[in-house]
Short mmCIF file of all heavy atoms in Angstrom, two decimals:
data_model
loop_
_atom_site.label_atom_id
_atom_site.label_comp_id
_atom_site.label_asym_id
_atom_site.label_seq_id
_atom_site.Cartn_x
_atom_site.Cartn_y
_atom_site.Cartn_z
N MET Y 18 -0.69 -11.40 6.50
CA MET Y 18 0.24 -10.27 6.54
C MET Y 18 -0.35 -9.17 7.41
O MET Y 18 -1.47 -8.76 7.23
CB MET Y 18 0.48 -9.72 5.14
CG MET Y 18 1.49 -8.59 5.06
SD MET Y 18 1.63 -7.86 3.40
CE MET Y 18 2.15 -9.29 2.45
N GLY Y 19 0.42 -8.69 8.40
CA GLY Y 19 -0.04 -7.62 9.26
C GLY Y 19 -0.01 -6.27 8.52
O GLY Y 19 0.62 -6.12 7.48
N SER Y 20 -0.66 -5.29 9.14
CA SER Y 20 -0.77 -3.99 8.48
C SER Y 20 0.60 -3.35 8.30
O SER Y 20 0.88 -2.76 7.24
CB SER Y 20 -1.71 -3.07 9.25
OG SER Y 20 -1.23 -2.88 10.58
N THR Y 21 1.49 -3.47 9.29
CA THR Y 21 2.81 -2.83 9.20
C THR Y 21 3.61 -3.43 8.05
O THR Y 21 4.24 -2.72 7.28
CB THR Y 21 3.58 -2.98 10.53
OG1 THR Y 21 2.83 -2.35 11.58
CG2 THR Y 21 4.95 -2.34 10.43
N GLU Y 22 3.58 -4.74 7.94
CA GLU Y 22 4.30 -5.41 6.86
C GLU Y 22 3.71 -5.02 5.51
O GLU Y 22 4.44 -4.80 4.51
CB GLU Y 22 4.23 -6.93 7.04
CG GLU Y 22 5.02 -7.72 5.98
CD GLU Y 22 4.91 -9.21 6.17
OE1 GLU Y 22 4.34 -9.64 7.21
OE2 GLU Y 22 5.37 -9.94 5.30
N ARG Y 23 2.38 -4.90 5.45
CA ARG Y 23 1.72 -4.52 4.20
C ARG Y 23 2.08 -3.08 3.82
O ARG Y 23 2.33 -2.77 2.66
CB ARG Y 23 0.21 -4.66 4.37
CG ARG Y 23 -0.56 -4.67 3.05
CD ARG Y 23 -2.02 -5.05 3.27
NE ARG Y 23 -2.70 -4.15 4.15
CZ ARG Y 23 -3.13 -4.50 5.38
NH1 ARG Y 23 -2.96 -5.72 5.83
NH2 ARG Y 23 -3.77 -3.62 6.16
N TRP Y 24 2.13 -2.16 4.82
CA TRP Y 24 2.51 -0.79 4.54
C TRP Y 24 3.92 -0.73 3.96
O TRP Y 24 4.19 0.03 3.04
CB TRP Y 24 2.44 0.05 5.80
CG TRP Y 24 1.02 0.25 6.31
CD1 TRP Y 24 -0.13 0.04 5.62
CD2 TRP Y 24 0.65 0.63 7.65
NE1 TRP Y 24 -1.23 0.29 6.45
CE2 TRP Y 24 -0.74 0.65 7.68
CE3 TRP Y 24 1.38 0.95 8.80
CZ2 TRP Y 24 -1.46 0.99 8.83
CZ3 TRP Y 24 0.69 1.28 9.95
CH2 TRP Y 24 -0.71 1.30 9.95
N ARG Y 25 4.84 -1.52 4.54
CA ARG Y 25 6.21 -1.53 4.02
C ARG Y 25 6.26 -2.05 2.60
O ARG Y 25 6.95 -1.53 1.73
CB ARG Y 25 7.09 -2.38 4.96
CG ARG Y 25 8.46 -2.71 4.36
CD ARG Y 25 9.27 -1.50 4.00
NE ARG Y 25 9.86 -0.87 5.16
CZ ARG Y 25 10.68 0.16 5.09
NH1 ARG Y 25 10.97 0.70 3.94
NH2 ARG Y 25 11.18 0.72 6.19
N GLN Y 26 5.47 -3.12 2.32
CA GLN Y 26 5.48 -3.70 1.00
C GLN Y 26 4.91 -2.69 -0.02
O GLN Y 26 5.45 -2.53 -1.13
CB GLN Y 26 4.66 -4.98 0.97
CG GLN Y 26 4.79 -5.79 -0.31
CD GLN Y 26 4.14 -7.14 -0.21
OE1 GLN Y 26 3.43 -7.46 0.76
NE2 GLN Y 26 4.35 -7.98 -1.20
N ILE Y 27 3.83 -2.01 0.36
CA ILE Y 27 3.25 -1.00 -0.52
C ILE Y 27 4.24 0.16 -0.74
O ILE Y 27 4.44 0.61 -1.89
CB ILE Y 27 1.92 -0.47 0.06
CG1 ILE Y 27 0.85 -1.52 0.00
CG2 ILE Y 27 1.45 0.79 -0.68
CD1 ILE Y 27 -0.44 -1.21 0.74
N THR Y 28 4.85 0.62 0.33
CA THR Y 28 5.81 1.72 0.25
C THR Y 28 6.94 1.38 -0.71
O THR Y 28 7.32 2.16 -1.59
CB THR Y 28 6.37 2.08 1.62
OG1 THR Y 28 5.31 2.49 2.47
CG2 THR Y 28 7.41 3.18 1.53
N ASP Y 29 7.51 0.19 -0.54
CA ASP Y 29 8.65 -0.23 -1.38
C ASP Y 29 8.23 -0.40 -2.83
O ASP Y 29 8.96 0.02 -3.75
CB ASP Y 29 9.24 -1.55 -0.86
CG ASP Y 29 9.94 -1.38 0.47
OD1 ASP Y 29 10.25 -0.23 0.85
OD2 ASP Y 29 10.21 -2.40 1.14
N ALA Y 30 7.05 -0.98 -3.05
CA ALA Y 30 6.59 -1.22 -4.43
C ALA Y 30 6.31 0.08 -5.14
O ALA Y 30 6.70 0.25 -6.32
CB ALA Y 30 5.34 -2.12 -4.41
N VAL Y 31 5.65 1.01 -4.48
CA VAL Y 31 5.32 2.29 -5.13
C VAL Y 31 6.59 3.11 -5.35
O VAL Y 31 6.75 3.77 -6.40
CB VAL Y 31 4.28 3.07 -4.29
CG1 VAL Y 31 4.02 4.43 -4.88
CG2 VAL Y 31 2.97 2.28 -4.19
N ARG Y 32 7.50 3.07 -4.41
CA ARG Y 32 8.75 3.80 -4.58
C ARG Y 32 9.54 3.23 -5.76
O ARG Y 32 10.09 3.99 -6.57
CB ARG Y 32 9.61 3.74 -3.32
CG ARG Y 32 10.97 4.40 -3.50
CD ARG Y 32 11.65 4.80 -2.22
NE ARG Y 32 11.79 3.74 -1.27
CZ ARG Y 32 12.42 3.85 -0.11
NH1 ARG Y 32 12.98 5.00 0.23
NH2 ARG Y 32 12.49 2.84 0.73
N GLU Y 33 9.58 1.91 -5.90
CA GLU Y 33 10.30 1.29 -7.01
C GLU Y 33 9.69 1.61 -8.35
O GLU Y 33 10.38 1.91 -9.33
CB GLU Y 33 10.33 -0.23 -6.79
CG GLU Y 33 11.13 -1.00 -7.82
CD GLU Y 33 12.61 -0.74 -7.76
OE1 GLU Y 33 13.11 -0.39 -6.67
OE2 GLU Y 33 13.26 -0.85 -8.81
N ALA Y 34 8.34 1.57 -8.41
CA ALA Y 34 7.64 1.78 -9.68
C ALA Y 34 7.37 3.25 -9.98
O ALA Y 34 7.11 3.64 -11.13
CB ALA Y 34 6.32 1.01 -9.67
N GLY Y 35 7.40 4.09 -8.92
CA GLY Y 35 7.03 5.49 -9.11
C GLY Y 35 5.58 5.76 -8.83
O GLY Y 35 5.22 6.70 -8.13
N ARG Y 36 4.71 4.91 -9.36
CA ARG Y 36 3.28 4.96 -9.09
C ARG Y 36 2.69 3.58 -9.36
O ARG Y 36 3.19 2.80 -10.16
CB ARG Y 36 2.58 6.02 -9.95
CG ARG Y 36 2.65 5.77 -11.47
CD ARG Y 36 1.82 6.79 -12.24
NE ARG Y 36 2.32 8.14 -12.03
CZ ARG Y 36 1.56 9.23 -12.19
NH1 ARG Y 36 0.29 9.11 -12.53
NH2 ARG Y 36 2.09 10.44 -12.03
N MET Y 37 1.60 3.27 -8.65
CA MET Y 37 0.89 1.99 -8.83
C MET Y 37 -0.58 2.20 -8.56
O MET Y 37 -0.98 3.06 -7.76
CB MET Y 37 1.45 0.90 -7.91
CG MET Y 37 2.84 0.43 -8.28
SD MET Y 37 3.38 -1.00 -7.27
CE MET Y 37 2.41 -2.34 -8.01
N GLY Y 38 -1.40 1.36 -9.20
CA GLY Y 38 -2.84 1.40 -9.00
C GLY Y 38 -3.29 0.54 -7.84
O GLY Y 38 -2.57 -0.36 -7.38
N VAL Y 39 -4.49 0.82 -7.35
CA VAL Y 39 -5.04 0.06 -6.23
C VAL Y 39 -5.14 -1.41 -6.56
O VAL Y 39 -4.79 -2.28 -5.74
CB VAL Y 39 -6.41 0.65 -5.82
CG1 VAL Y 39 -7.11 -0.27 -4.83
CG2 VAL Y 39 -6.26 2.03 -5.24
N ALA Y 40 -5.61 -1.74 -7.75
CA ALA Y 40 -5.76 -3.15 -8.14
C ALA Y 40 -4.43 -3.87 -8.16
O ALA Y 40 -4.31 -5.03 -7.70
CB ALA Y 40 -6.42 -3.23 -9.50
N GLU Y 41 -3.39 -3.19 -8.63
CA GLU Y 41 -2.05 -3.81 -8.64
C GLU Y 41 -1.55 -4.06 -7.22
O GLU Y 41 -0.98 -5.14 -6.94
CB GLU Y 41 -1.05 -2.87 -9.34
CG GLU Y 41 -1.28 -2.66 -10.81
CD GLU Y 41 -0.30 -1.63 -11.37
OE1 GLU Y 41 -0.50 -0.42 -11.09
OE2 GLU Y 41 0.66 -2.05 -12.05
N LEU Y 42 -1.78 -3.10 -6.35
CA LEU Y 42 -1.33 -3.27 -4.97
C LEU Y 42 -2.11 -4.35 -4.23
O LEU Y 42 -1.57 -5.07 -3.39
CB LEU Y 42 -1.41 -1.93 -4.23
CG LEU Y 42 -0.44 -0.85 -4.71
CD1 LEU Y 42 -0.79 0.50 -4.16
CD2 LEU Y 42 0.98 -1.24 -4.36
N ALA Y 43 -3.41 -4.46 -4.52
CA ALA Y 43 -4.21 -5.53 -3.93
C ALA Y 43 -3.71 -6.88 -4.37
O ALA Y 43 -3.60 -7.81 -3.54
CB ALA Y 43 -5.69 -5.34 -4.32
N ALA Y 44 -3.35 -7.02 -5.64
CA ALA Y 44 -2.82 -8.31 -6.13
C ALA Y 44 -1.46 -8.61 -5.49
O ALA Y 44 -1.16 -9.75 -5.15
CB ALA Y 44 -2.68 -8.24 -7.65
N LEU Y 45 -0.67 -7.57 -5.31
CA LEU Y 45 0.68 -7.73 -4.71
C LEU Y 45 0.59 -8.18 -3.27
O LEU Y 45 1.33 -9.08 -2.83
CB LEU Y 45 1.44 -6.43 -4.80
CG LEU Y 45 2.80 -6.38 -4.14
CD1 LEU Y 45 3.79 -7.27 -4.88
CD2 LEU Y 45 3.33 -4.95 -4.07
N THR Y 46 -0.29 -7.56 -2.50
CA THR Y 46 -0.35 -7.82 -1.05
C THR Y 46 -1.33 -8.91 -0.67
O THR Y 46 -1.27 -9.40 0.47
CB THR Y 46 -0.75 -6.53 -0.31
OG1 THR Y 46 -2.07 -6.10 -0.75
CG2 THR Y 46 0.25 -5.42 -0.57
N GLY Y 47 -2.24 -9.26 -1.56
CA GLY Y 47 -3.26 -10.24 -1.21
C GLY Y 47 -4.39 -9.67 -0.39
O GLY Y 47 -5.24 -10.41 0.12
N ALA Y 48 -4.43 -8.34 -0.26
CA ALA Y 48 -5.49 -7.68 0.51
C ALA Y 48 -6.59 -7.22 -0.43
O ALA Y 48 -6.39 -7.14 -1.67
CB ALA Y 48 -4.90 -6.50 1.27
N SER Y 49 -7.72 -6.86 0.13
CA SER Y 49 -8.81 -6.35 -0.69
C SER Y 49 -8.50 -4.93 -1.14
O SER Y 49 -7.67 -4.23 -0.53
CB SER Y 49 -10.12 -6.35 0.13
OG SER Y 49 -10.05 -5.38 1.15
N GLU Y 50 -9.15 -4.49 -2.20
CA GLU Y 50 -8.93 -3.12 -2.68
C GLU Y 50 -9.37 -2.10 -1.64
O GLU Y 50 -8.75 -1.04 -1.51
CB GLU Y 50 -9.68 -2.89 -4.00
CG GLU Y 50 -9.08 -3.71 -5.15
CD GLU Y 50 -9.66 -3.32 -6.50
OE1 GLU Y 50 -10.35 -2.30 -6.58
OE2 GLU Y 50 -9.39 -4.03 -7.49
N MET Y 51 -10.39 -2.42 -0.87
CA MET Y 51 -10.85 -1.51 0.19
C MET Y 51 -9.74 -1.34 1.24
O MET Y 51 -9.46 -0.23 1.69
CB MET Y 51 -12.13 -2.02 0.84
CG MET Y 51 -12.69 -1.11 1.92
SD MET Y 51 -14.24 -1.72 2.61
CE MET Y 51 -15.31 -1.63 1.16
N THR Y 52 -9.12 -2.47 1.61
CA THR Y 52 -8.02 -2.41 2.59
C THR Y 52 -6.87 -1.62 2.04
O THR Y 52 -6.26 -0.79 2.76
CB THR Y 52 -7.57 -3.84 2.95
OG1 THR Y 52 -8.64 -4.53 3.59
CG2 THR Y 52 -6.37 -3.81 3.88
N VAL Y 53 -6.53 -1.81 0.77
CA VAL Y 53 -5.41 -1.06 0.16
C VAL Y 53 -5.71 0.41 0.14
O VAL Y 53 -4.81 1.23 0.43
CB VAL Y 53 -5.13 -1.61 -1.25
CG1 VAL Y 53 -4.19 -0.65 -2.01
CG2 VAL Y 53 -4.54 -2.98 -1.19
N ARG Y 54 -6.95 0.79 -0.13
CA ARG Y 54 -7.30 2.21 -0.13
C ARG Y 54 -7.10 2.81 1.26
O ARG Y 54 -6.60 3.93 1.36
CB ARG Y 54 -8.74 2.41 -0.60
CG ARG Y 54 -8.97 2.15 -2.08
CD ARG Y 54 -10.36 2.61 -2.52
NE ARG Y 54 -10.57 2.30 -3.92
CZ ARG Y 54 -11.15 1.17 -4.37
NH1 ARG Y 54 -11.58 0.26 -3.50
NH2 ARG Y 54 -11.31 0.98 -5.66
N ARG Y 55 -7.49 2.06 2.30
CA ARG Y 55 -7.27 2.56 3.67
C ARG Y 55 -5.78 2.68 3.95
O ARG Y 55 -5.32 3.65 4.57
CB ARG Y 55 -7.94 1.63 4.68
CG ARG Y 55 -9.45 1.75 4.73
CD ARG Y 55 -10.00 1.14 6.01
NE ARG Y 55 -9.74 -0.30 6.06
CZ ARG Y 55 -10.60 -1.24 5.66
NH1 ARG Y 55 -11.78 -0.88 5.18
NH2 ARG Y 55 -10.29 -2.51 5.77
N ASP Y 56 -4.99 1.71 3.49
CA ASP Y 56 -3.54 1.75 3.67
C ASP Y 56 -2.94 2.97 3.00
O ASP Y 56 -2.06 3.64 3.55
CB ASP Y 56 -2.88 0.50 3.11
CG ASP Y 56 -3.19 -0.76 3.91
OD1 ASP Y 56 -3.60 -0.65 5.08
OD2 ASP Y 56 -3.03 -1.87 3.36
N LEU Y 57 -3.41 3.26 1.79
CA LEU Y 57 -2.88 4.41 1.06
C LEU Y 57 -3.21 5.71 1.78
O LEU Y 57 -2.40 6.67 1.77
CB LEU Y 57 -3.43 4.43 -0.36
CG LEU Y 57 -3.00 3.27 -1.27
CD1 LEU Y 57 -3.63 3.42 -2.65
CD2 LEU Y 57 -1.47 3.22 -1.39
N GLU Y 58 -4.37 5.79 2.40
CA GLU Y 58 -4.72 6.99 3.19
C GLU Y 58 -3.76 7.16 4.36
O GLU Y 58 -3.29 8.28 4.64
CB GLU Y 58 -6.17 6.89 3.70
CG GLU Y 58 -7.22 6.97 2.60
CD GLU Y 58 -7.25 8.32 1.91
OE1 GLU Y 58 -6.75 9.30 2.50
OE2 GLU Y 58 -7.74 8.38 0.77
N VAL Y 59 -3.46 6.07 5.06
CA VAL Y 59 -2.52 6.12 6.17
C VAL Y 59 -1.14 6.58 5.70
O VAL Y 59 -0.51 7.45 6.30
CB VAL Y 59 -2.42 4.74 6.86
CG1 VAL Y 59 -1.29 4.74 7.91
CG2 VAL Y 59 -3.73 4.37 7.54
N LEU Y 60 -0.66 5.99 4.62
CA LEU Y 60 0.68 6.31 4.10
C LEU Y 60 0.72 7.74 3.56
O LEU Y 60 1.76 8.41 3.66
CB LEU Y 60 1.08 5.31 3.05
CG LEU Y 60 1.27 3.87 3.57
CD1 LEU Y 60 1.49 2.91 2.42
CD2 LEU Y 60 2.43 3.81 4.56
N ALA Y 61 -0.38 8.21 3.00
CA ALA Y 61 -0.43 9.59 2.52
C ALA Y 61 -0.34 10.57 3.69
O ALA Y 61 0.33 11.61 3.61
CB ALA Y 61 -1.71 9.83 1.70
N GLU Y 62 -1.00 10.24 4.80
CA GLU Y 62 -0.94 11.10 5.99
C GLU Y 62 0.48 11.20 6.55
O GLU Y 62 0.85 12.19 7.15
CB GLU Y 62 -1.90 10.57 7.04
CG GLU Y 62 -3.37 10.78 6.72
CD GLU Y 62 -4.29 10.10 7.75
OE1 GLU Y 62 -3.77 9.51 8.71
OE2 GLU Y 62 -5.52 10.17 7.56
N GLN Y 63 1.26 10.13 6.35
CA GLN Y 63 2.65 10.09 6.85
C GLN Y 63 3.64 10.66 5.87
O GLN Y 63 4.84 10.68 6.14
CB GLN Y 63 3.02 8.63 7.21
CG GLN Y 63 2.19 8.07 8.36
CD GLN Y 63 2.53 6.64 8.65
OE1 GLN Y 63 3.38 6.02 8.00
NE2 GLN Y 63 1.87 6.06 9.66
N GLY Y 64 3.16 11.15 4.73
CA GLY Y 64 4.05 11.77 3.76
C GLY Y 64 4.84 10.82 2.90
O GLY Y 64 5.80 11.22 2.24
N VAL Y 65 4.44 9.54 2.87
CA VAL Y 65 5.16 8.53 2.12
C VAL Y 65 4.79 8.60 0.65
O VAL Y 65 5.61 8.42 -0.24
CB VAL Y 65 4.87 7.12 2.68
CG1 VAL Y 65 5.50 6.05 1.82
CG2 VAL Y 65 5.36 7.02 4.12
#
């Protein structure tokens, strides 16, 4: 899964649930928790 697709999956999942933990998002996307944390930083900068 590319980063753009992963960002969309994280955005949709968090929007649907309201909030989600790093471990949950790592399990959902198949990425490492470190990668998910970096993704969350990017999405936070974009106001998502």
Side-chain angles (χ1 to χ4, degrees):
M18 183 186 299
S20 59
T21 300
E22 183 181 353
R23 196 171 59 249
W24 293 342
R25 167 59 76 176
Q26 191 172 8
I27 290 171
T28 299
D29 290 345
V31 176
R32 176 160 53 176
E33 183 68 27
R36 62 174 63 203
M37 290 186 75
V39 170
E41 293 175 286
L42 292 168
L45 175 69
T46 60
S49 69
E50 292 190 11
M51 182 178 295
T52 296
V53 168
R54 288 190 183 93
R55 286 197 296 266
D56 291 340
L57 294 179
E58 291 295 339
V59 171
L60 294 172
E62 289 174 1
Q63 295 178 359
V65 174

